């Protein structure tokens, strides 16, 4: 019999080797039975080990389950863009009639069959096909902020190369309906930025555009770029800013232009919020309201983009002690509006961020602004307003510096103010609501409102609107015709 003497160090190594082998064996056995997504399918045989898919559906039989397959039908178009992701013969439906372009005999829904149509495809579909790879790259990004930045850069390049800004807006609307763009409003800002940089002319950039598209974001972008370039060149603040939108008075685009001024002021004055607000205050009453909304949207967006979204940042954006009451309320609500864009219009995620705000009123205003933005976004996608039904802002200038602001979907004409008797008269072309904001010096304590000699059934008035020397009169006429507003004793 032969005996071997084993050195203590060697013996230790042999024991360690045995333990390591045992641990490795146990780990391999554990891996065999692991179920990362807890769907009762072991990872070793799960075609989507990180996504719950107990049915193991795999439409294209490529070994990757539908839950984690980015192209279920293997048609070279990712599911992010594919509106028919289980039909390899169709992927697009840009007229949104439920029929894929391959089967649709009238792709643009213009009533002319494709075989007889010289331009059978909508511009949004043409551009998507042309820039499919770029769009797909952005759509693939999981983080909403990264995706938004990617799309902003893409649309900026698109405006430069295609030269048709309406087509770019149509594409952004289509992608938002598909769901690859959170909301085209922010994207349209970038389209407006680049459009102005290409023309360096506000009027030319806005000419022929439609403010109903993407809720006026294009207009906001044009004005923002205009003031940004002035500030960048270190030129003085333009005294003509109060009239820069005048060519649009009476159209539904005028409000978007005035709102865009607010965005532009922040681009010019930067962190000097008071200077932006003071510039808005020099406008008429309702112009001021629209302008301040633009200021606060741009101000909050700048803050979150620059500093990130944290409890400290979000709690100190809007200071009730440093801002006038109305400006503070608008700042707080705009915080919620902006958070909607940073959270992919997800109310619960946005509300979670609003709840970081310590001050109760600010927190509640934030949640309300978030709710309204998501509501407006959904309403726009489901039932966009036509130009005819969209409210028009139609200011009437009195004595050079005073203004009577009128809001209505109806067109106001033949306006006249007779100061000697304090009477206002004008005509409206259809029975739609009318709202007037009148400087208190132009109205008596009691005013009689008639339309074609009849007092409208729906009539209300208010003094000192938003604690300012402004009276508000609102009515809904039964028919179009002549409106008279006169003192009544």
């Amino acid at each position: 019999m032969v005996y071997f003497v084993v050195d203590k160090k060697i013996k230790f190594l042999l024991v360690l080797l045995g333990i390591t082998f045992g641990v490795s064996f146990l780990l391999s056995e554990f891996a065999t039975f692991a179920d990362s997504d807890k769907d009762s399918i072991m990872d070793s045989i799960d075609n989507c080990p990180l996504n719950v898919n107990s049915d193991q559906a795999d439409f294209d039989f490529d070994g990757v389950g539908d839950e984690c397959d980015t192209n279920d039908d293997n048609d070279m178009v990712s599911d992010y863009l594919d509106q028919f992701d289980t039909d390899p013969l169709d992927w697009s439906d840009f007229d949104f009639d439920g029929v894929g372009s391959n089967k649709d005999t009238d792709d643009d829904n213009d009533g002319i069959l494709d075989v007889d149509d010289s331009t059978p495809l909508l511009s949004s579909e043409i551009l998507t096909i042309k820039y499919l790879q770029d769009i797909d790259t952005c759509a693939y990004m999981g983080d909403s902020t990264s995706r938004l930045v990617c799309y902003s850069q893409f649309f900026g390049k698109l405006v430069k190369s295609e030269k048709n800004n309406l087509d770019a807006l149509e594409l952004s609307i289509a992608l938002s309906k598909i769901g690859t763009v959170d909301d085209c409003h922010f994207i349209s800002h970038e389209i407006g930025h680049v459009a102005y940089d290409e023309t360096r002319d506000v009027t030319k950039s806005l000419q022929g555009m439609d403010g109903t598209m993407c809720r006026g974001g294009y207009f906001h972008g044009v004005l923002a770029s205009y003031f940004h370039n002035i500030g960048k060149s270190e030129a003085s603040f333009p005294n003509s800013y109060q009239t820069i939108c005048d060519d649009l008075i009476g159209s539904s685009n005028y409000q978007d232009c005035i709102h865009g001024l607010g965005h532009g002021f922040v681009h010019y004055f930067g962190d000097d919020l008071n200077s932006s607000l003071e510039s808005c205050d020099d406008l008429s009453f309702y112009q001021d309201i629209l302008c301040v909304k633009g200021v606060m949207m741009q101000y909050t967006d700048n803050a979150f983009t620059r500093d990130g979204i944290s409890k400290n940042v979000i709690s100190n954006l809007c200071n009730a002690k440093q801002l006038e009451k109305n400006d503070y309320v608008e700042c707080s609500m705009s915080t919620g509006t902006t958070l909607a864009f940073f959270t992919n219009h997800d109310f619960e995620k946005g509300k979670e961020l609003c709840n970081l705000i310590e001050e109760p009123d600010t927190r509640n205003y934030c949640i309300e602004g978030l709710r309204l933005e998501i509501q407006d976004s959904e309403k726009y996608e489901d039932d966009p307003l036509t130009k005819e039904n969209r409210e028009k802002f139609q200011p009437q200038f009195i004595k050079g510096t005073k203004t009577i602001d009128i809001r209505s979907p109806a067109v106001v004409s033949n306006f006249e103010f007779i100061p000697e008797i304090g009477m206002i008269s004008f005509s409206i072309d259809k029975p739609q609501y009318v709202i007037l904001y009148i400087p208190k010096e132009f109205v008596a304590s009691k005013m009689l409102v008639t339309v074609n000699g009849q007092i409208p059934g729906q009539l209300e008035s208010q003094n000192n609107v938003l604690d300012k020397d402004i009276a508000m009169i609102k009515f809904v006429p039964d028919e179009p015709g002549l409106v008279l507003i006169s003192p009544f004793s």
Side-chain angles (χ1 to χ4, degrees), residues 171-184 214 380-381:
L171 175 59
S172 69
I173 291 172
L175 293 179
S176 68
K177 287 183 177 180
I178 294 172
T180 63
V181 168
D182 167 30
D183 186 286
C184 69
C214 301
Y380 169 77
E381 293 296 348

Side-chain angles (χ1 to χ4, degrees), residues 134-135 137-139 141 144-160 168 172 175 180-195 301 305 341-342:
D134 295 293
I135 295 171
T137 297
C138 295
M141 294 185 174
S144 59
T145 301
S146 300
R147 187 167 61 248
L148 199 58
V149 171
C150 181
Y151 274 124
S152 294
Q153 293 172 342
F154 163 68
F155 276 97
K157 292 186 292 185
L158 183 71
V159 172
K160 292 180 180 179
S172 69
L175 293 179
T180 63
V181 168
D182 167 30
D183 186 286
C184 69
H185 179 84
F186 192 91
I187 296 297
S188 65
H189 272 233
E190 183 62 23
I191 297 173
H193 286 165
V194 179
D301 178 64
T305 301
F341 290 98
F342 277 79

Side-chain angles (χ1 to χ4, degrees), residues 460-481:
E460 60 181 281
S461 63
Q462 179 182 343
N463 287 322
N464 301 316
V465 182
L466 297 181
D467 298 325
K468 296 182 182 291
D469 290 330
I470 296 290
M472 183 276 290
I473 296 176
K474 179 180 180 180
F475 61 92
V476 181
D478 296 323
E479 58 184 5

Side-chain angles (χ1 to χ4, degrees), residues 14-267:
L14 289 172
V15 171
L16 183 62
L17 182 62
I19 293 173
T20 303
F21 175 78
V23 171
S24 298
F25 176 77
L26 289 173
L27 287 175
S28 65
E29 286 299 302
F30 176 77
T32 301
F33 294 101
D35 180 14
S36 300
D37 55 12
K38 303 292 189 273
D39 62 358
S40 301
I41 309 293
M42 293 180 294
D43 289 351
S44 57
I45 59 172
D46 194 339
N47 62 15
C48 272
L50 300 179
N51 301 79
V52 176
N53 65 331
S54 55
D55 61 1
Q56 294 291 286
D58 180 13
F59 179 81
D60 54 7
F61 301 103
D62 62 354
V64 181
D66 293 344
E67 285 296 321
C68 56
D69 195 342
T70 57
N71 187 5
D72 284 340
D73 54 13
N74 269 347
D75 62 355
M76 307 304 291
V77 179
S78 76
D79 293 346
Y80 299 105
L81 291 174
D82 197 334
Q83 293 165 272
F84 305 92
D85 55 13
T86 57
D87 183 352
L89 299 180
D90 252 320
W91 65 274
S92 59
D93 176 23
F94 285 87
D95 58 359
F96 299 98
D97 62 356
V99 182
S101 295
N102 191 49
K103 303 181 184 70
D104 199 340
T105 57
D106 182 9
D107 278 320
D108 56 7
N109 263 350
D110 63 354
I112 303 173
L113 294 179
D114 292 346
V115 293
D116 301 319
D117 197 338
S118 59
T119 54
L121 299 181
L122 291 164
S123 60
S124 53
E125 183 166 358
I126 293 171
L127 291 175
T128 301
I129 294 170
K130 184 174 181 179
Y131 296 99
L132 185 61
Q133 186 58 55
D134 295 293
I135 295 171
D136 197 46
T137 297
C138 295
Y140 187 78
M141 294 185 174
D143 179 69
S144 59
T145 301
S146 300
R147 187 167 61 248
L148 199 58
V149 171
C150 181
Y151 274 124
S152 294
Q153 293 172 342
F154 163 68
F155 276 97
K157 292 186 292 185
L158 183 71
V159 172
K160 292 180 180 179
S161 58
E162 294 297 327
K163 305 297 182 183
N164 190 323
N165 301 328
L166 276 173
D167 286 350
L169 288 175
E170 289 287 1
L171 175 59
S172 69
I173 291 172
L175 293 179
S176 68
K177 287 183 177 180
I178 294 172
T180 63
V181 168
D182 167 30
D183 186 286
C184 69
H185 179 84
F186 192 91
I187 296 297
S188 65
H189 272 233
E190 183 62 23
I191 297 173
H193 286 165
V194 179
Y196 176 78
D197 287 341
E198 293 290 288
T199 64
R200 294 301 173 111
D201 185 308
V202 172
T203 302
K204 188 174 181 180
S205 298
L206 298 181
Q207 192 172 22
M209 300 304 289
D210 181 0
T212 65
M213 300 176 75
C214 301
R215 292 177 293 146
Y218 174 86
F219 285 69
H220 311 163
V222 168
L223 271 299
S225 187
Y226 166 69
F227 282 97
H228 175 79
N229 280 282
I230 292 175
K232 191 175 180 180
S233 65
E234 298 184 354
S236 58
F237 189 72
N239 294 325
S240 61
Y241 78 88
Q242 294 188 22
T243 60
I244 198 170
C245 298
D246 281 3
D247 287 344
L248 299 173
I249 289 177
S251 76
S252 58
N253 295 332
Y254 184 61
Q255 299 189 60
D256 297 307
C257 188
I258 296 297
H259 178 91
L261 286 176
H263 286 271
F265 294 164
V266 177
H267 275 270

Side-chain angles (χ1 to χ4, degrees), residues 292 323-331 465-468:
V292 169
L323 295 170
E324 290 187 12
K325 180 181 178 181
N326 299 319
D327 294 340
Y328 156 71
V329 171
E330 190 55 54
C331 178
V465 182
L466 297 181
D467 298 325
K468 296 182 182 291

